[in-house]
């Protein structure tokens, strides 16, 4: 099988993206319910779809995985992490952000576009250019 060099073969990347999307849509319960041979076949398809574009770019899956792990670990705080005080700690309590900020993301579909509304009890996101009701 002849490998093409470089990203001029986008259909392989599209197959990889499609396969990843299909996998993301499969529930854990259905994976557990499937047979071991089905697991092996499915994993083989995913590894093949991942290895082909990687090989065409002279990348080894092992190196890509190791580099990603190194990158993730480099961004994780170490044992001697020093946490700075919150930027608004000198402000009155009612002007400070809460220590924990729970977010709820709700997709809203309109005829023209899909957008996300983020309601939160104390902070009104996305309304900075609109007057508040108080």
């Amino acid at each position: 099988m002849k490998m093409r060099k470089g990203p001029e073969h986008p259909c392989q990347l599209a197959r990889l993206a499609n396969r990843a999307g299909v996998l993301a849509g499969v529930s854990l319960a259905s994976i557990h319910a499937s047979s071991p041979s089905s697991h092996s076949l499915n994993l083989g398809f995913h590894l093949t779809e991942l290895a082909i574009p990687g090989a065409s770019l002279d990348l080894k899956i092992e190196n890509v995985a190791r580099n990603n792990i190194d990158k993730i670990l480099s961004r994780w705080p170490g044992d001697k992490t020093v946490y700075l005080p919150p930027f608004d700690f000198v402000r009155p309590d009612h002007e400070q952000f809460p220590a924990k900020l729970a977010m709820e993301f709700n997709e809203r579909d309109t005829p023209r576009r899909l957008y996300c509304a983020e309601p939160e009890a104390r902070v009104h996101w996305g309304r900075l250019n609109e007057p508040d009701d108080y």
Side-chain angles (χ1 to χ4, degrees), residues 30-118:
S30 68
I31 291 173
H32 287 297
S34 63
S35 69
S37 63
S38 174
H39 290 198
S40 298
L41 187 61
N42 201 14
L43 180 60
F45 282 134
H46 289 287
L47 288 175
T48 300
E49 296 296 344
L50 183 61
I52 291 172
S56 72
L57 297 168
D58 293 326
L59 299 172
K60 290 183 178 179
I61 295 175
E62 177 185 357
N63 293 342
V64 171
R66 184 181 303 110
N67 289 341
N68 277 316
I69 290 169
D70 290 345
K71 178 177 65 175
I72 290 167
L73 291 176
S74 74
R75 295 176 177 176
W76 198 260
D79 294 334
K80 298 178 181 180
T81 302
V82 176
Y83 293 97
L84 300 175
F87 71 93
D88 56 357
F89 78 101
V90 296
R91 308 300 305 167
D93 286 348
H94 69 279
E95 291 183 4
Q96 294 180 12
F97 276 93
K100 292 185 179 181
L101 190 61
M103 298 297 294
E104 177 183 333
F105 295 92
N106 299 308
E107 282 187 353
R108 301 286 187 242
D109 197 3
T110 65
R112 299 191 70 176
R113 66 186 171 134
L114 179 69
Y115 67 95
C116 191
E118 305 96 13

Side-chain angles (χ1 to χ4, degrees), residues 1 9-21 46 49 52:
M1 174 181 216
H9 195 54
C11 107
Q12 187 64 44
L13 294 176
R15 282 196 294 270
L16 173 61
N18 180 44
R19 180 82 53 190
H46 289 287
E49 296 296 344
I52 291 172

